[in-house]
Every structure is written in C-alpha cells, then in structure tokens.
Amino acid sequence: MVKAKTVNWLKQVRYQAERLTGQRIRIGVTGLSGAGKTTFITSFINQLENHQRGLLARRPPFDRLESVRWQRDGVEQPFPYLSALAALAADPPRWPESTSDLSRVVIDLRFRPHGLLGKLQGSRTLHIEIIDYPGEWLLDLPLLGLDYGRWCEQLQGWLSQEPRRSLAGPLLERLTAIDPLAPVDAGLLAELTTEWTAFLHRCRADAGLSRNQPGRFLLPGQGVAAEMLQFVPLPAVNQHTQGESGSWWHQCSTRFDYYRDYVVKGFYDQHFSTLDRQILLVDMLTPMDAGQAALVDLKAALEAVLDSFRYGRNSLLERWFKPRIERLAVCASKVDQVAPSQQRAVQQCLEDLLTDSLSEVRHGGVEVKGFPLAAIRAARQEGDALVAALDGQSGGVRYQPGHIPEHLPLDLKVQGPELLRLRPPTGLHRNEPFAHYRMDDLIDWTLEGDG
C-alpha cells in the first residue's frame, strides 16, 4: 500500500512538473449526451495526423510540426480511434458508437526548434491528454453540492412541471405513496429503480430533456456495484428528513452518499480537477427542434455543469495544487446541418443561452471563444440548398434547412429548423483530413502558445 501511494505521488509530481514547463496539456472535452464528443475526438486526432495536408499546415506553430504520435500501447482504456475510423469508412458510412465508458486519448506532438534559442534547445515535444466519457456522467457533477434530502427537493420541483410530470405517469404516484420512515422493501426498491431508469430514458428520447439524474442509471460504466445504483428520489423527503437504519430514507440516503462521494467525486477528482483547457460541445439544433421545454432544461443543465468546474488564471502555487481552467472554447456542434450563412446564428443562440454563465467565467479572467463547429462535415452547399445522405441510407438528398434566428428569444420559444438525420460522407480515410467546419481554428486556439 505504501509503495503504491509512493508511485502515485511520484506520478503526480512528474505530471505537475511537466505542466509547469509547458510540456503537457490536459484538455477536457465536455458535452452532454448527443453533443458529438466521440466524432469530435476522432476528427481532432485525424486533423493532427494530417497536419501537413490540411488547413493546419498554413498556421504557426503547426508549420513547424514534425511528427504526431497517437498512443495506444500502455494507455489505460485507450480511445477506440481505429473502431471510429472503421465506422466512418463503412459502406454506407455510419457515425462512431457513442461513448459507453471512460477512455483516454494520448497524443505526442514534436515541433522543430524556432529561433536561435530554440535551435540551441532542440525539438520540443508537447504531450496532449484528452478524456472521453459518457455525457450522461457529466449531469451528475451538480450532485456534489447536494445531500439526499436536497436532491429529493430538487426532483420534486422538476417532476411538478411538464413534460416530466406526464412522462413519469404512475411512477410518480408510486414514489409519492412511500413513507420514507417505513422499513425498506428491497424488492420494491429494485423495481422502482428500474422504472426510474426507464423514465430517464423517456425524458431524453421523447422530450429531448438534458437533466437526467443519476446519469449512471443510463450508462453505468465499469467499477460500480449494481446494488449501489439502487436508490430513487422520494417526494416525501426533504432536507430535514431523518430515518432509522433499515428505513427507505436510510437506504436511499446511504446509497446516494456513496454515489456522490465515491462515484461522482472520484470521477471529478481524477479527470476534471487538473484540466488546463476545456472544450464545451453543445448540440443546439436538436433542442431547438424539440421546443421550449428542451431548451429550458438544456440551459439549466449547462449552467449547473459549468458551475462545477474551476475557472480562472493560475498563480504558481495554484498550478501545482489547485489548477484552474484558463481557456474555454464554447462550440455549437453539428452546424453543418444548416446553411453556412446560418452557422454563426446557431453559435450566437448558444451564447445567448449561456449569457450569465459565460459572463461569470470571463469575469474570472478566463479566455472564452466561440466556434460554430462541424467535426466532420456531413452536408455541403449547392446553390441555395444543402446536399447530404440520410443516416442508414446510401443515396443523397437535396434540402433547404429551416431558418435560425439571429438571437435566441428570452422566452426560448423558437421555430425549430426541422432537422434530418444525416450520415457521414463517403470517402473518409485516416490518411486524409476530414472535411469540417472550423476544426483548424479550434485546434489552433486551444493549443496556442504551447507549440
């Protein structure tokens, strides 16, 4: 045990030393389910691997980039880059599988020396780390500031409003009927947990809602005992409720605390507490299509998530012990679904949605920049229309997407763009840079000053 702790401590010291000398950068790719994180990371690696053929070749410091190495040997739970490439190159092409568990990306960049001092020092290597994870897990970060009673109060508020009230149906009545001080029925608790999980799936699939907690009920991942995921919110519980051992309150509260303290906090401390840069991916178009309730829920979810991270400029001590995120890219993803002339409007709508949160982040001294993004361009413009192929089909379609307002209305009532389900274009290959919108701009800005 002592030896293991010593090894971990030495790894942490080495990691922090590399951060201080600018040799290592950790990038957090943050996005809710459906934002396109897996496709984005695949394109991120592809653009770097093909830096000499793509738009990055024209930009410093990438004009000095000698080599790119994507690592998988020795990387715990490596990102399935080759599987993602195989999906994109299939006939017909398909999007990579959504993330179902944690994975890691490790990329080494080697730059030619720059200037007289650089030539004396030799080539410079930059080590990039990216963590991929299910977007569902991100929704649990706000739980770190709650206990079981407050969580139940929060859910009571959500369940009292449409569309959650209707989507819950008889489940809400069953939960309301439970006396939290009565002895727990283990069989009934397991049954209600299954029903709550099905309710969360309905919220996401049928109404486009984002705040679906606990997130690991949707995608548990590895390393979490199934019985510890058996708890539900009880409408009769509030922050003052106390119950004896063996009661519904005690069982659910104990498991909630375990979930918060060991699953959620452990995930945050290990993967999010040492980020240098953050890329926030948001699919704005789908909730705009789904309607006002979906946009309201997305706004609340993103505000709560952003409030969970540490932003601001770092002093020397903070870089060692409590590093903060110093640069945040806010990206409306999948904007190739609308005309190029409308893509900036999609980005503006996203920034309108997050006005207060982004103001807080900027006030802390963080660099924030928006990028209307398509990691892989699935549609191309021909005249006044877009041409693309539909998901699961081989043929193409010609269509005109709906209008995007220049700004998001304050009441969040918009006419959706009536999206089509597009598939990737044909002809994608690992050794050619994927067609995209603004991936080069984003990579350049994210790594600025580190090459």
Side-chain angles (χ1 to χ4, degrees):
M1 177 66 73
V2 174
K3 183 178 180 180
K5 289 183 177 180
T6 301
V7 170
N8 289 334
W9 181 82
L10 289 173
K11 286 182 178 179
Q12 183 67 10
V13 169
R14 184 177 63 181
Y15 169 73
Q16 296 293 2
E18 289 176 340
R19 293 180 78 251
L20 285 172
T21 58
Q23 297 173 356
R24 180 186 296 260
I25 181 172
R26 293 198 76 182
I27 301 174
V29 179
T30 304
L32 304 183
S33 176
K37 293 190 306 300
T38 303
T39 300
F40 169 83
I41 293 173
T42 302
S43 180
F44 191 99
I45 302 172
N46 169 264
Q47 300 302 325
L48 288 174
E49 285 190 328
N50 294 281
H51 61 94
Q52 294 178 331
R53 301 181 182 89
L55 297 175
L56 285 176
R58 308 174 187 175
R59 299 170 178 264
F62 301 99
D63 55 352
R64 297 185 288 104
L65 184 54
E66 292 182 321
S67 65
V68 176
R69 180 178 63 176
W70 164 63
Q71 293 189 33
R72 49 179 170 164
D73 295 335
V75 176
E76 184 182 358
Q77 295 178 271
F79 177 78
Y81 181 45
L82 298 181
S83 299
L85 291 172
L88 293 169
D91 185 18
R94 63 182 187 274
W95 297 110
E97 292 292 328
S98 297
T99 306
S100 60
D101 207 339
L102 185 74
S103 66
R104 292 174 171 82
V105 179
V106 178
I107 309 171
D108 289 328
L109 308 182
R110 190 178 68 192
F111 295 90
R112 291 192 303 272
H114 177 61
L116 178 60
L117 182 60
K119 291 179 180 179
L120 293 175
Q121 293 174 336
S123 298
R124 172 182 170 83
T125 299
L126 177 64
H127 188 79
I128 300 173
E129 292 185 19
I130 302 174
I131 301 298
D132 188 28
Y133 55 90
E136 289 82 357
W137 298 2
L138 194 66
L139 301 166
D140 287 333
L141 294 184
L143 299 182
L144 295 175
L146 301 174
D147 58 21
Y148 177 67
R150 287 184 172 85
W151 182 61
C152 289
E153 291 178 349
Q154 175 180 273
L155 265 297
Q156 290 170 35
W158 296 358
L159 290 167
S160 67
Q161 300 176 357
E162 294 294 346
R164 280 189 174 87
R165 182 168 53 194
S166 296
L167 289 170
L171 173 61
L172 181 56
E173 297 178 5
R174 297 187 69 188
L175 292 173
T176 303
I178 291 176
D179 177 2
L181 305 185
V184 66
D185 181 332
L188 179 57
L189 177 56
E191 181 181 326
L192 290 174
T193 299
T194 300
E195 291 187 25
W196 182 261
T197 302
F199 162 68
L200 296 180
H201 281 286
R202 292 195 298 274
C203 288
R204 183 176 63 181
D206 298 347
L209 300 181
S210 300
R211 293 179 295 175
N212 303 312
Q213 295 174 346
R216 290 197 187 233
F217 280 31
L218 295 169
L219 277 175
Q222 300 177 359
V224 182
E227 64 271 14
M228 298 310 295
L229 294 181
Q230 290 188 2
F231 62 92
V232 291
L234 299 175
V237 168
N238 59 47
Q239 59 184 296
H240 304 294
T241 304
Q242 297 286 330
E244 296 181 354
S245 177
S247 66
W248 278 91
W249 175 87
H250 184 266
Q251 184 79 301
C252 290
S253 178
T254 299
R255 290 180 176 175
F256 175 89
D257 289 349
Y258 171 87
Y259 185 83
R260 178 197 62 203
D261 296 339
Y262 292 96
V263 179
V264 180
K265 190 174 187 302
F267 175 62
Y268 178 85
D269 287 346
Q270 185 175 0
H271 303 298
F272 287 142
S273 63
T274 56
L275 295 180
D276 304 293
R277 308 279 193 273
Q278 187 174 27
I279 298 171
L280 175 64
L281 299 178
V282 182
D283 175 9
M284 272 296 292
L285 293 170
T286 299
M288 289 176 76
D289 246 0
Q292 183 189 31
L295 283 170
V296 169
D297 213 55
L298 176 65
K299 175 182 173 66
L302 291 174
E303 287 177 340
V305 166
L306 287 174
D307 193 49
S308 303
F309 289 93
R310 291 175 52 83
Y311 296 100
R313 294 175 179 169
N314 286 304
S315 67
L316 181 62
L317 289 177
E318 284 172 331
R319 284 188 67 84
W320 268 96
F321 299 108
K322 289 187 176 181
R324 298 173 182 266
I325 297 166
E326 297 180 310
R327 192 173 295 174
L328 170 65
V330 180
C331 308
S333 62
K334 307 179 183 180
V335 298
D336 56 320
Q337 298 175 94
V338 301
S341 61
Q342 295 272 282
Q343 293 174 7
R344 296 285 179 185
V346 180
Q347 179 67 31
Q348 184 59 58
C349 287
L350 170 58
E351 295 182 28
D352 290 343
L353 190 75
L354 298 176
T355 296
D356 293 331
S357 292
L358 294 182
S359 294
E360 287 292 325
V361 172
R362 288 189 177 99
H363 189 69
V366 177
E367 294 181 65
V368 180
K369 190 168 182 178
F371 297 88
L373 197 71
I376 296 178
R377 196 171 67 205
R380 67 181 189 277
Q381 188 169 24
E382 289 187 1
D384 60 352
L386 295 180
V387 176
L390 297 181
D391 196 21
Q393 300 182 20
S394 57
V397 295
R398 184 182 179 90
Y399 71 101
Q400 290 184 324
H403 177 72
I404 304 295
E406 293 184 1
H407 282 281
L408 200 62
L410 294 179
D411 62 4
L412 303 184
K413 291 182 179 180
V414 296
Q415 182 68 37
E418 299 181 358
L419 302 175
L420 300 176
R421 292 182 59 86
L422 307 182
R423 67 157 173 79
T426 58
L428 296 178
H429 193 278
R430 178 180 183 177
N431 292 328
E432 293 290 340
F434 299 156
H436 62 85
Y437 282 121
R438 301 175 192 88
M439 280 295 292
D440 55 323
D441 293 336
L442 174 62
I443 293 173
D444 183 24
W445 186 79
T446 303
L447 302 181
E448 184 180 4
D450 291 293

